[in-house]
Amino acid sequence: TEPEVSDPFRTHLKVAVSGLLTELGFSTADATALETLTELTQSFIGELGRSARSFCELACRVEPVSADILLALVEMGVPVSGLHSFATRSQRVTIPAPSQLTTPKQTSILHTGLLFVLLIF
């Protein structure tokens, strides 16, 4: 079972990791190495989110702000001094936004409820 089949976001994350590798000068990557880097990136983002949520909840808020993310990065030992230069780099690889999937039409609650009421009586 490939991770891409069960998690479509992982496919987009792999594309983003590939873009970063291209920026660094790599033209090819071994599938196992790319999968490992994708897994590490996913774990990092998950831990960053959990830590930022903890700082948010500690401040009695329900939505994190940028300061929560900054504190989480510092707590994780990530040097934040280079974030601005990384964000404004000139040789950035641009990845197109993922297309939206069409969601299947949900059954009407009224129909389902009406059918349930009819079955009871």
Side-chain angles (χ1 to χ4, degrees):
T1 60
E2 288 289 320
E4 293 90 20
V5 175
S6 62
D7 188 4
F9 297 108
R10 180 136 176 140
T11 303
H12 299 298
L13 183 61
K14 189 180 280 190
V15 170
V17 169
S18 298
L20 287 171
L21 290 173
T22 302
E23 277 185 33
L24 292 172
F26 291 94
S27 59
T28 61
D30 183 56
T32 308
L34 183 59
E35 189 61 38
T36 301
L37 287 171
T38 304
E39 180 67 31
L40 287 169
T41 305
Q42 184 175 357
S43 296
F44 176 80
I45 292 170
E47 183 59 33
L48 180 64
R50 280 188 288 281
S51 184
R53 182 182 62 203
S54 295
F55 282 113
C56 174
E57 290 173 352
L58 186 63
C60 298
R61 285 183 270 108
V62 292
E63 288 189 25
V65 294
S66 58
D68 297 324
I69 297 169
L70 188 64
L71 286 171
L73 285 169
V74 169
E75 184 181 68
M76 293 172 67
V78 176
V80 294
S81 59
L83 283 179
H84 185 267
S85 61
F86 178 75
T88 58
R89 65 194 184 280
S90 61
Q91 298 161 338
R92 180 180 3 196
V93 173
T94 304
I95 300 169
S99 61
Q100 293 290 326
L101 297 175
T102 57
T103 57
K105 183 179 178 187
Q106 293 181 345
T107 58
S108 172
I109 295 174
L110 183 58
H111 267 159
T112 309
L114 184 59
L115 180 61
F116 180 74
V117 170
L118 291 175
L119 289 175
I120 293 177
F121 292 108

